[in-house]
């Protein structure tokens, strides 16, 4: 009764805005598309759409069918892709989503030996602005999620791969550079430079400034680590980053790390995956490499 084409039609009509445009994308005639959906509606005994002038509005049943389409079709697409890879004698592809901006440089150091060890596996990396983290795992858009803030949900597994310390980064000539640690009020007059991430996802806010009721003089978002640290070195602001990353850049820029609070802010990076995929050999191999000696020498381990 309910077939894949029905789900594809509902999704494409929603995305393209009309039956005509959806029919073109699906390479069928509009009459064939309309006939297929009308037959389904008769079999189900309920309407999927209601016509309002020249437009269509999903019914409650149609909204449910659309939600099923968004959930099921990516899984079917992935299954077909994997089966084609098996038919060609290929291993597959590992799609990695990044919720940790500074970890991208660490990831590059892990990907190189991984590709050498698994020549028949392709690697694709998606940044946060291209997907929705946990939803991307459930929706089969990615296979691994790199995140410092795991959300433990049924069906997902998060593996800690390294520990690190979040620190304040200041220019070597900044007055705070000689401090053993900084207090929240020390940042009240500073320009705080961060990645373009909501403040409720930034440790410098959630674990340091907000509990003390402090806000920086100004908050500036910059997407690239290189530009951010160039700004810090030029005394255009301060930033909060992993200590290992700051130490890596300190060899080239006049910047220093300073502890946030007397005890510091300890963090962990996790790799998240679907529980059903944990036995996949090339996925297991990437996790092992990420938490092994090579990952430690790449920088993050040990903070």
């Amino acid at each position: 009764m309910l077939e894949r084409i029905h789900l594809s039609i509902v999704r494409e009509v929603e995305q393209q805005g009309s039956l005509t445009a959806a029919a073109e994308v699906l390479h069928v005639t509009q009459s064939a598309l309309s006939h297929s959906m009308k037959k389904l509606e008769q079999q189900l005994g309920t309407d999927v759409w209601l016509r309002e002038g020249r437009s269509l509005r999903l019914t409650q049943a149609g909204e449910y069918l659309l939600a099923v389409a968004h959930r099921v079709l990516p899984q079917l697409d992935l299954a077909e892709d994997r089966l084609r890879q098996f038919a060609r004698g290929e291993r597959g592809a590992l799609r990695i989503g990044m919720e940790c901006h500074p970890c991208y440089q660490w990831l590059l150091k892990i990907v190189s030996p991984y590709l050498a060890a698994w020549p028949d596996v392709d690697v694709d990396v998606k940044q946060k602005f291209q997907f929705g983290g946990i939803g991307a795992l459930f929706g089969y858009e990615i296979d691994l999620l790199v995140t410092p803030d795991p959300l433990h949900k049924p069906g997902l597994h998060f593996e800690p791969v390294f520990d690190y310390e979040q620190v304040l980064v200041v220019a070597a000539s900044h007055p705070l550079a000689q401090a053993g640690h900084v207090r929240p009020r020390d940042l009240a007059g500073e320009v705080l430079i961060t990645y373009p991430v909501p403040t409720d996802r930034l440790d410098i806010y959630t674990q340091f400034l907000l509990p003390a009721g402090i806000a920086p003089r100004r908050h500036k978002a910059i997407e690239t680590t290189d530009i951010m640290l160039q700004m810090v070195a030029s005394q255009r602001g301060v930033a909060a980053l992993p200590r290992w990353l700051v130490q890596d850049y300190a060899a080239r820029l006049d910047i220093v790390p300073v502890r946030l609070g007397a005890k510091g802010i300890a963090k962990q990076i996790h790799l998240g995956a679907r529980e059903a995929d944990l036995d996949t050999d090339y996925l297991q191999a990437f996790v092992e490499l990420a938490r092994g000696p090579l990952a430690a020498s790449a920088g993050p381990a040990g903070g």
Side-chain angles (χ1 to χ4, degrees):
M1 182 183 292
L2 181 61
E3 300 177 6
R4 181 177 180 176
I5 185 61
H6 299 126
L7 299 179
S8 297
I9 290 171
V10 172
R11 183 178 68 177
E12 290 304 328
V13 169
E14 187 259 344
Q15 291 180 347
Q16 306 301 325
S18 70
L19 290 173
T20 302
E24 291 179 0
V25 171
L26 295 171
H27 305 292
V28 298
T29 64
Q30 183 178 337
S31 60
L33 186 151
S34 298
H35 176 75
S36 179
M37 293 305 297
K38 180 58 67 177
K39 183 178 179 180
L40 177 66
E41 289 176 327
Q42 291 172 349
Q43 291 173 334
L44 294 175
T46 185
D47 291 333
V48 174
W49 289 294
L50 294 177
R51 288 195 173 274
E52 295 181 341
R54 299 180 63 181
S55 62
L56 298 174
R57 179 174 61 84
L58 286 171
T59 62
Q60 184 177 11
E63 292 284 359
Y64 174 76
L65 202 58
L66 177 62
V68 172
H70 284 315
R71 185 170 64 252
V72 172
L73 288 175
Q75 297 183 43
L76 292 176
D77 292 340
L78 176 62
E80 288 183 348
D81 188 48
R82 292 280 169 84
L83 290 173
R84 283 192 289 267
Q85 290 167 351
F86 293 150
R88 295 192 297 263
E90 298 175 356
R91 180 76 65 168
L94 185 63
R95 301 162 304 166
I96 303 171
M98 299 290 294
E99 278 192 336
C100 173
H101 282 74
C103 292
Y104 189 79
Q105 290 168 305
W106 164 80
L107 181 66
L108 292 178
K109 298 176 183 179
I110 302 302
V111 166
S112 180
Y114 178 80
L115 291 175
W118 294 84
D120 52 354
V121 176
D122 292 331
V123 173
D124 183 28
V125 178
K126 293 186 177 184
Q127 296 281 17
K128 179 68 167 59
F129 62 84
Q130 296 175 309
F131 73 102
I134 297 295
L137 272 178
F138 280 120
Y140 286 76
E141 298 174 48
I142 59 174
D143 306 302
L144 276 177
L145 176 64
V146 181
T147 179
D149 302 301
L151 294 175
H152 297 280
K153 301 281 188 180
L156 300 181
H157 173 77
F158 285 91
E159 184 79 17
V161 291
F162 62 80
D163 302 324
Y164 68 95
E165 181 187 359
Q166 191 82 342
V167 297
L168 187 73
V169 197
V170 301
S173 56
H174 193 286
L176 292 175
Q178 305 305 317
H181 67 270
V182 296
R183 301 157 297 180
R185 65 174 178 266
D186 294 329
L187 303 188
E190 299 290 339
V191 175
L192 178 61
I193 304 173
T194 75
Y195 295 109
V197 175
T199 54
D200 62 0
R201 299 278 291 178
L202 291 168
D203 298 314
I204 184 69
Y205 277 97
T206 60
Q207 297 193 42
F208 192 66
L209 294 173
L210 293 181
I214 299 293
R217 177 167 61 86
R218 188 158 65 92
H219 180 188
K220 183 178 181 64
I222 293 180
E223 185 145 343
T224 60
T225 304
D226 288 303
I227 299 300
M228 181 186 298
L229 291 179
Q230 289 282 357
M231 294 282 284
V232 170
S234 300
Q235 292 211 43
R236 306 289 184 88
V238 299
L241 291 169
R243 181 181 290 275
W244 61 266
L245 182 63
V246 181
Q247 291 171 334
D248 185 38
Y249 273 87
R252 307 188 299 275
L253 297 172
D254 286 332
I255 56 174
V256 295
V258 184
R259 175 158 286 178
L260 288 164
K263 296 181 178 180
I265 296 179
K267 295 287 294 181
Q268 281 185 315
I269 288 297
H270 294 74
L271 294 182
R274 293 177 293 273
E275 289 181 348
D277 294 340
L278 292 177
D279 291 334
T280 304
D281 54 359
Y282 59 84
L283 187 147
Q284 280 184 337
F286 189 91
V287 175
E288 290 298 325
L289 188 62
R291 66 184 178 194
L294 177 63
S297 64

